[in-house]
Amino acid sequence: MEFPFDVDALFPERITVLDQHLRPPARRPGTTTPARVDLQQQIMTIIDELGKASAKAQNLSAPITSASRMQSNRHVVYILKDSSARPAGKGAIIGFIKVGYKKLFVLDDREAHNEVEPLCILDFYIHESVQRHGHGRELFQYMLQKERVEPHQLAIDRPSQKLLKFLNKHYSLETTVPQVNNFVIFEGFFAHQHPPARKLPPKRAEGDIKPYSSSDREFLKVAVEPPWPLNRAPRRATPPAHPPPRSSSLGNSPERGPLRPFVPEQELLRSLRLCPPHPTARLLLAADPGGSPAQRRRTSSLPRSEESRY
């Protein structure tokens, strides 16, 4: 693929690695340096055109690789250039491969769910005019060495038939593990997972779920015991032989008697009627400013002149 600007000057190396920042690589000494914003715009143009060409080759409705998607995701793109192609002295682009780590739920050979985060092949394209010349293997092998992974450790997103034949021919990846998503993994994928894949707990059958058990229903029938002191049992008339020592701390709770079952309502009302008045009530009656009834009668029998003196 050719562009109206100098690709050979933009990408000094044969294979250039770009992350989400799309920063221009270091330039060779002695070359002119245009404005940095122009270099980044050129990189964005190359990525957009490569994404369109890859989508057309795979019969996709829309490109899955673009400069805007690169900037919003932590993906890495490897771009392969052709320095010998100089029809206008500007070089050309042969192809690219885009990779990135993704958290996936995949099935193993026993159909158990596993949560993994492997390196995924997200897009791979070599220009039609230079296919079957070893460029695809050169680019793929460079990516494996740079990412330090083995081919069977990769997960491929919606691979085309050409890509599957490519992996079978060069890396002997033939037997796949069936999945329910769009990713394809090969036999040996789970052999070197670090850390090991986390298995999800098995789903509980719907028939085993009950609102509550029979023991729970029996528990709901038991009457709730009233709070203290209504649940206090009557004390014995004779005091204990050895009473417990009195605590010197203030605010201690009074001694509670042993608990007994729920008191019926009629018995509770009968005990309340027979209960003697509290000593505090007697003190309040004694401190009444009106005095006793006899005192009030003596005061009312005095003449009004005598009453005024009091």
Side-chain angles (χ1 to χ4, degrees):
M1 298 180 64
E2 299 178 2
F3 295 90
F5 44 84
D6 194 347
V7 175
D8 192 36
L10 180 62
F11 297 146
E13 304 297 332
R14 178 170 173 81
I15 299 178
T16 301
V17 184
L18 298 175
D19 57 9
Q20 65 184 59
H21 302 290
L22 302 180
R23 296 172 181 172
R27 301 179 62 82
R28 297 172 182 172
T31 57
T32 57
T33 305
R36 190 174 186 84
V37 64
D38 295 336
L39 295 179
Q40 191 172 28
Q41 185 62 43
Q42 292 175 3
I43 293 176
M44 296 174 66
T45 301
I46 292 176
I47 293 177
D48 288 339
E49 293 300 323
L50 288 174
K52 294 177 182 178
S54 177
K56 183 179 179 180
Q58 300 180 61
N59 297 323
L60 301 178
S61 58
I64 57 177
T65 299
S66 63
S68 59
R69 290 193 175 188
M70 283 290 301
Q71 291 175 333
S72 59
N73 295 280
R74 294 184 177 181
H75 298 160
V76 177
V77 61
Y78 293 78
I79 299 178
L80 176 63
K81 77 169 186 177
D82 186 6
S83 301
S84 60
R86 290 180 174 272
K90 298 179 181 180
I93 299 295
I94 296 176
F96 78 102
I97 183 172
K98 184 177 70 172
V99 299
Y101 287 91
K102 284 184 172 293
K103 184 174 294 186
L104 304 176
F105 290 91
V106 297
L107 300 174
D108 55 18
D109 52 358
R110 295 173 294 180
E111 296 185 357
H113 289 271
N114 298 269
E115 182 182 1
V116 294
E117 192 172 1
L119 182 67
C120 302
I121 304 297
L122 305 176
D123 203 356
F124 186 28
Y125 171 73
I126 299 296
H127 195 268
E128 291 79 4
S129 61
V130 290
Q131 290 182 2
R132 301 183 183 275
H133 288 74
H135 300 301
R137 178 176 173 80
E138 177 188 2
L139 182 59
F140 202 92
Q141 191 65 29
Y142 183 88
M143 181 274 301
L144 293 177
Q145 295 177 358
K146 195 75 174 179
E147 300 292 340
R148 297 180 181 180
V149 295
E150 297 294 333
H152 61 268
Q153 296 176 321
L154 299 171
I156 300 92
D157 185 14
R158 302 180 185 180
S160 62
Q161 292 298 324
K162 287 186 177 180
L163 180 54
L164 292 176
K165 293 180 180 179
F166 171 85
L167 296 174
N168 185 18
K169 177 182 178 180
H170 297 288
Y171 300 101
S172 301
L173 297 179
E174 181 179 4
T175 305
T176 62
V177 181
Q179 301 297 319
V180 296
N181 52 22
N182 298 321
F183 284 84
V184 172
I185 61 175
F186 292 90
E187 187 178 17
F189 176 83
F190 297 97
H192 304 284
Q193 287 294 329
H194 301 289
R198 292 182 292 175
K199 295 187 177 181
L200 300 178
K203 186 177 180 181
R204 189 176 182 181
E206 296 294 337
D208 298 340
I209 301 177
K210 298 180 180 179
Y212 45 81
S213 62
S214 59
S215 60
D216 296 334
R217 290 193 291 268
E218 295 297 332
F219 173 77
L220 295 177
K221 297 180 181 178
V222 179
V224 180
E225 184 180 0
W228 183 88
L230 298 181
N231 60 357
R232 182 180 177 183
R235 292 188 177 181
R236 297 180 179 178
T238 59
H242 300 282
R246 180 179 297 179
S247 175
S248 59
S249 61
L250 300 178
N252 290 338
S253 300
E255 179 186 359
R256 300 187 181 184
L259 301 181
R260 65 177 182 178
F262 184 82
V263 181
E265 182 179 0
Q266 298 298 331
E267 183 180 349
L268 176 61
L269 295 177
R270 190 182 305 110
S271 62
L272 292 178
R273 285 196 297 268
L274 298 178
C275 183
H278 198 274
T280 306
R282 298 176 180 175
L283 294 176
L284 292 176
L285 293 175
D288 187 3
S292 62
Q295 180 66 24
R296 287 196 296 269
R297 286 194 299 269
R298 288 196 300 269
T299 305
S300 59
S301 62
L302 295 176
R304 293 185 180 273
S305 59
E306 294 293 335
E307 292 179 3
S308 60
R309 290 186 298 175
Y310 286 95

